[in-house]
């Protein structure tokens, strides 16, 4: 039985990946940090909270990583832990860099020194491109131009991952994932903020949603589809970096129209107010990925459409709130 260690197991992707690997008959270990109220609700939502083995640790504490790697001796390590909210990264740039940048370096160093045969997956991001594009798209050859402390911390981790592969021959792969969402997406992210807000308005529990830049465009996919790509990257003969995306882009306005129309509301703009607190000091206007490399080499393709994804999220929030 293969063993996988997932950092960030309590987050959205950690939970979907754990479920995916359990279904592939892996023994799954999750690194969890010491916080006052540990939250296993994502794992519970997917029905797997009691199927994962937890190990205490924090990405910023190398001693805890050494203990985890030496104890588990994993075949595969998926580094998903992060301060993952772009907006917060301007308020907490040091914490963001400590966790996302230096934390990744500590984990790579730990694997190199204590269990170098482990295959390593790094959760890189389309944020690293900033507003840079090649013929209107972002792919593996598009130059990076990060525009937030979050994106910069992730670019550091990206290059460290490449460097450990090139310097020490370790199996280290970067998944450059575009935005992916689900019913267990954190409520501060715009898709979930909208699905939750629309469900509350429909049920008479709220009267408006306060948002920032409605013109931003993103390439949004389903987290459940994207975790398969993470796993596929570690099943290749050689480690490599892959863009994972749908290739379709949509604005926040389109997102709002789909979500509100799904609950029978056409005049959605009267429920929206613009709050400057939710605008970013430096914005990414549009992201649209090109997934040709992932399709050709990994045989990966997204399954759920944007519209299906948003409807699923609204339905899940309606269900949750009714309970
Ligand atoms: P998420 O829901 O915010 O989950 C983040 C996870 O990291 C949580 O389990 C959190 O644990 C853990 N964590 C935070 N700081 C930690 C630390 N110091 N030590 C150990 N664990 C720590 O994020 P996600 O959406 O699942 O994303 C997973 C990864 O993919 C992240 O690295 C993110 O930056 C990256 N990414 C995400 C997307 C996307 O669209 N979702 C796209 C590209 C890349 P607690 O429960 O203790 O807080
Ligand atoms: O949902 P968001 O906060 O996601 P963002 O910033 O694109 O980051 C997510 O995807 C990245 C991959 O590209 C990940 F690396 C990262 O970890 C995270 O998962 O914001 C999406 C867009 C932005 O342009 C933002 O300005 O929505 C715009 N927006 C407009 N009003 C808002 C709001 N975003 C949030 N969070 N809240 C608003 O009220």
């Amino acid at each position: 039985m293969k063993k996988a260690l997932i950092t960030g197991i309590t987050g959205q992707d950690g939970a979907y990946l754990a479920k995916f690997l359990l279904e592939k008959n892996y023994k799954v270990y999750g690194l969890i940090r010491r916080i006052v109220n540990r939250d296993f609700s994502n794992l519970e939502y997917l029905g797997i909270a009691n199927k994962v083995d937890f190990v205490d640790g924090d990405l910023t504490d190398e001693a805890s990583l050494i203990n985890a790697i030496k104890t588990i001796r994993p075949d595969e390590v998926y580094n998903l832990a992060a301060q993952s909210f772009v907006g917060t990264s301007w308020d907490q740039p040091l914490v963001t860099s400590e966790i996302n940048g230096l934390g990744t370096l500590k984990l790579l160093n730990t694997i190199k020194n204590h269990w170098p045969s482990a295959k390593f997956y790094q959760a890189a991001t389309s944020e690293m491109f900033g507003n840079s594009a090649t013929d209107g798209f972002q792919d593996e050859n598009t130059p990076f131009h990060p525009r937030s402390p979050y994106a910069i911390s992730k670019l550091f981790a990206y290059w460290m991952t490449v460097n450990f592969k090139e310097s020490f021959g370790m199996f280290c792969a970067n998944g450059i994932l575009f935005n992916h969402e689900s019913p267990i997406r954190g409520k501060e992210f715009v898709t979930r903020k909208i699905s939750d807000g629309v469900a509350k308005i429909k049920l008479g529990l709220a009267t408006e949603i306060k948002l920032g830049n409605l013109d931003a465009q993103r390439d949004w996919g389903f987290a459940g589809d994207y975790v398969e790509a993470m796993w596929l990257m570690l099943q290749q003969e050689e480690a490599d970096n892959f863009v994972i995306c749908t290739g379709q882009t949509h604005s926040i306005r389109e997102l709002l129209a789909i979500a509100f129309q799904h609950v029978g509301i056409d005049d959605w703009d009267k429920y929206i107010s613009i709050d400057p607190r939710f605008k970013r000091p430096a914005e990414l206007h549009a992201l649209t990925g090109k997934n040709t490399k992932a399709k050709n080499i990994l045989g990966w393709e997204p399954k759920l459409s944007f519209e299906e994804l948003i409807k699923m999220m609204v339905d899940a929030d309606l269900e949750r709130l009714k309970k």
Side-chain angles (χ1 to χ4, degrees), residues 58-230:
D58 191 303
L59 220 52
T60 60
D61 182 341
E62 196 160 345
S64 73
L65 302 178
I66 293 170
N67 177 53
I69 293 291
K70 282 174 81 170
T71 313
I72 299 165
R73 300 172 158 212
D75 298 285
E76 297 170 8
V77 177
Y78 295 87
N79 184 33
L80 309 185
Q83 188 304 92
S84 75
F85 189 51
V86 175
T88 292
S89 75
W90 277 280
D91 301 326
Q92 299 180 27
L94 289 175
V95 167
T96 303
S97 304
E98 290 279 356
I99 299 173
N100 303 2
L102 292 178
T104 301
L105 174 54
K106 285 173 187 160
L107 184 53
L108 281 164
N109 236 348
T110 299
I111 295 169
K112 169 182 159 268
N113 290 334
H114 299 282
W115 196 243
S117 62
K119 292 181 169 183
F120 180 78
Y121 172 88
Q122 169 58 17
T125 164
S126 48
E127 284 285 316
M128 301 185 310
F129 295 120
N131 289 323
S132 169
T134 315
D135 298 330
F137 289 91
Q138 292 87 25
D139 67 11
E140 293 80 2
N141 299 315
T142 302
F144 297 124
H145 186 142
R147 273 169 67 81
S148 64
Y150 167 81
I152 294 165
S153 70
K154 284 286 185 175
L155 194 55
F156 175 89
Y158 171 93
W159 282 117
M160 277 298 169
T161 301
V162 171
N163 189 256
F164 271 65
K165 176 188 153 187
E166 292 179 352
S167 304
F168 309 117
M170 287 163 53
F171 190 110
C172 298
N174 279 292
I176 308 174
L177 271 56
F178 283 58
N179 299 51
H180 47 279
E181 322 293 312
S182 74
I184 55 170
R185 180 61 142 153
K187 280 188 189 163
E188 67 273 43
F189 298 95
V190 77
T191 51
R192 183 74 198 290
K193 187 172 172 180
I194 291 173
S195 66
D196 182 61
V198 167
K200 284 187 175 137
I201 288 168
K202 176 68 183 171
L203 298 174
L205 302 170
T207 52
E208 66 168 358
I209 309 173
K210 292 182 180 173
L211 293 170
N213 174 20
L214 302 189
D215 296 316
Q217 296 175 25
R218 290 290 183 277
D219 177 333
W220 279 292
F222 172 46
D225 289 345
Y226 285 32
V227 296
E228 183 193 15
M230 298 176 186

Side-chain angles (χ1 to χ4, degrees), residues 298-313:
L298 304 178
W300 177 87
E301 279 194 77
K303 296 183 185 80
L304 207 69
S305 74
F306 175 64
E307 197 163 333
E308 287 167 332
L309 170 67
I310 300 307
K311 288 178 178 173
M312 174 176 80
M313 291 176 69

Side-chain angles (χ1 to χ4, degrees), residues 262-288:
H262 186 53
V263 299
I265 298 172
D266 287 328
D267 50 351
W268 56 265
D269 38 341
K270 74 176 193 206
Y271 297 99
I272 302 302
S273 67
I274 302 300
D275 187 331
R277 283 180 305 153
F278 298 115
K279 293 200 171 167
R280 308 255 162 102
E283 177 65 291
L284 259 65
H285 306 301
L287 285 172
T288 318

